[in-house]
Amino acid sequence: MRNLGPFARRTAILQLIALGTLSAVLLSACGSSTTSAPSLDTKSFDTKSWSSVESGAKDQTVNWYMYGGDEELNKFVNGYVTDELKRDGVTLNQVKINDTSEAINKVIGEKQAGKNSDGSVDAIWTNGANFATGVQSRLWYCGWDRNLPNARFVNFDSPSITNDFGVPVAGCESAWQQANSALVYNSAKLTPKDVASMSSLLAWVKASPGHFTYPALPDFTGSMAVRSVLYDTMGGPAALSGAFDETKYNAQAAPLWKRLNDIAPSLWRGGTTYPTSETATEKLYADGEISAYMTYGPGAVGNSVSKGQFPSSTREAVPAGGNIANVSFLSIPYNASHKAAALLLANVLQDPKTQLALYKAEGAYPAIDLSKTDDATRKNFAAVPNSPSVLSLADLTRNAQPELASAYISRIEKDWKTRVLQK
């Protein structure tokens, strides 16, 4: 879901594997917000009355479980976001975790123990398989996302907002930032022609052995790199749209494995080993061992250049066919002790001022629709200095492609281990 670029490090927490036909099960289960367990904490406030929510949240502490490995994001959460919530009498407690499944498993454990109120988890940074697992296990408090005052800035017509890796959001989470993948490369080593398409990039990889790699799956960014090759191989994601289909998958995956195995001997260390994370991949790039890698956090690359960690010749590209994009969400467990405070947190995160501050601090792209904001807000976003190493938001989003359903991603990650890693 920098980390890795900070976002890619953060999204690397999406490791919980959904097998077989999970996506089909989830899609049938998610027809409406009634898929969640009922709220047991609505007595203190009315979700349709924001003044009631604010009153109910007063003096509460909201426990937000989220990936804690990104220090810049931690500073933002414990600085800007914490200060904003204090204005409403809410204390933010960031609970740092290494993997979102830790929070999911905690809620599942409480549910199994019959703890259907006074839960210890108030909010979770979710997307992809971890959200899907929560839907399947009926963990989410739902029906509130459009009641947030700042929801007026969200484009609910966007499939990336209404669906989370093929699973309908159905009012069970709210968007707070978006990620767009990109190729990061050293322009002193690669030409624009080399990065014009995935085919030209892979041709460069074979002609320049040892200078490209990607993290071992199921690292989320490594998985994205493999799916980027898959999208190029099958001409876009449409061939695998919808719920998991074994026949379709086998037909599209066969040429993918052939293509990946074809370039494997030309990867870093001859493809005999892969970095364990994008953090490790970024270090290889910073040390000059590789000359290109793929990231979910293109906005953070400029900071690495300005700090002297990356060469000044660093640039980004979106190969022909587009780039994979997704959205990060905030979910509230059905048994959360402090739902009102969690709703205030969700609303603060969607505030255009917060979105702008996050963009400045992290290079994280807004989840809100800037066309729904006022002229001053749009001008403030446009005025943020853009590093020559980083593509503009317009360039990154012009041809963004949706994620596949979680079951496809889980299957790709599982099969990669036997079809590529062990070859």
Side-chain angles (χ1 to χ4, degrees):
M1 226 195 277
R2 175 344 335 283
N3 47 305
L4 322 99
F7 191 88
R9 281 193 295 274
R10 302 194 296 268
T11 52
I13 60 180
L14 302 179
Q15 303 298 322
L16 193 59
I17 294 182
L19 299 175
T21 59
L22 174 61
S23 179
V25 173
L26 293 172
L27 286 169
S28 64
C30 283
S32 71
S33 62
T34 59
T35 59
S36 70
S39 168
L40 299 175
D41 186 37
T42 56
K43 59 184 180 294
S44 60
F45 65 93
D46 176 2
T47 58
K48 295 182 179 180
S49 168
W50 194 248
S51 61
S52 176
V53 173
E54 290 177 317
S55 296
K58 191 73 70 175
D59 299 324
Q60 287 190 340
T61 295
V62 57
N63 298 305
W64 186 11
Y65 281 64
M66 62 183 294
Y67 176 71
D70 181 350
E71 290 307 315
E72 290 302 318
L73 182 62
N74 293 341
K75 291 177 184 177
F76 182 79
V77 167
N78 292 296
Y80 185 95
V81 178
T82 294
D83 291 343
E84 289 298 303
L85 286 172
K86 280 182 181 178
R87 301 176 194 274
D88 293 311
V90 173
T91 299
L92 174 60
N93 176 38
Q94 180 197 19
V95 182
K96 300 175 184 178
I97 55 179
N98 294 316
D99 192 303
T100 304
S101 63
E102 297 173 32
I104 301 292
N105 290 338
K106 180 178 282 290
V107 180
I108 290 175
E110 291 179 347
K111 184 175 184 180
Q112 291 173 340
K115 191 173 184 179
N116 292 319
S117 61
D118 300 322
S120 57
V121 182
D122 296 315
I124 308 174
W125 172 6
T126 52
N127 69 350
N130 44 67
F131 173 69
T133 298
V135 171
Q136 185 184 42
S137 300
R138 295 170 58 83
L139 301 183
W140 303 130
Y141 172 49
C142 301
W144 52 268
D145 62 332
R146 297 182 188 231
N147 294 334
L148 303 176
N150 288 321
R152 67 187 186 275
F153 301 115
V154 176
N155 179 11
F156 288 102
D157 292 327
S158 170
S160 65
I161 296 294
T162 57
N163 291 278
D164 188 345
F165 285 69
V167 178
V169 168
C172 299
E173 57 182 356
S174 62
W176 66 282
Q177 65 173 324
Q178 67 167 308
N180 297 83
S181 64
L183 174 70
V184 180
Y185 69 101
N186 187 339
S187 63
K189 303 291 179 66
L190 289 84
T191 69
K193 289 184 178 180
D194 293 327
V195 299
S197 68
M198 188 59 65
S199 293
S200 61
L201 173 65
L202 298 187
W204 173 84
V205 169
K206 295 185 71 173
S208 308
H211 288 275
F212 181 81
T213 191
Y214 55 90
L217 281 60
D219 174 89
F220 198 66
T221 308
S223 181
M224 173 272 291
V226 168
R227 296 197 306 278
S228 295
V229 178
L230 173 63
Y231 280 26
D232 180 74
T233 302
M234 61 185 187
L240 293 180
S241 62
F244 183 85
D245 183 295
E246 182 79 26
T247 301
K248 290 181 180 179
Y249 170 76
N250 289 332
Q252 300 299 333
L256 169 67
W257 306 134
K258 183 178 184 302
R259 208 172 183 189
L260 292 177
N261 284 314
D262 188 44
I263 65 166
S266 301
L267 298 178
W268 175 71
R269 292 190 176 178
T272 58
T273 186
Y274 293 78
T276 57
S277 66
E278 178 145 347
T279 301
T281 308
E282 285 181 335
K283 188 176 187 307
L284 292 176
Y285 180 80
D287 293 343
E289 289 197 51
I290 62 174
S291 302
Y293 70 97
M294 299 197 72
T295 184
Y296 258 132
V301 170
N303 288 335
S304 296
V305 173
S306 64
K307 292 177 182 177
Q309 297 167 342
F310 287 0
S312 59
S313 52
T314 297
R315 296 292 184 269
E316 294 176 350
V318 172
N323 54 337
I324 299 175
N326 64 57
V327 172
S328 281
F329 295 89
L330 180 125
S331 298
I332 303 174
Y334 80 101
N335 65 343
S337 296
H338 309 113
K339 290 188 179 70
L343 291 173
L344 257 67
L345 169 61
N347 191 58
V348 164
L349 291 174
Q350 286 186 349
D351 190 310
K353 292 180 180 178
T354 304
Q355 296 276 295
L356 177 62
L358 183 60
Y359 182 44
K360 289 179 177 178
E362 273 277 290
Y365 296 113
I368 61 172
D369 184 346
L370 295 183
S371 70
K372 294 179 177 292
T373 64
D374 57 27
D375 289 341
T377 296
R378 292 192 292 272
K379 288 179 180 178
N380 286 336
F381 269 92
V384 176
N386 195 39
S387 166
S389 295
V390 178
L391 288 174
S392 69
L393 181 58
D395 288 335
L396 279 167
T397 59
R398 182 173 294 113
N399 197 16
Q401 302 297 311
E403 297 279 8
L404 299 177
S406 296
Y408 278 120
I409 295 174
S410 298
R411 181 63 176 273
I412 290 168
E413 292 170 356
K414 176 177 178 288
D415 289 353
W416 179 86
K417 294 178 182 179
T418 56
R419 301 300 298 271
V420 178
L421 182 62
Q422 296 179 11
K423 286 288 185 179

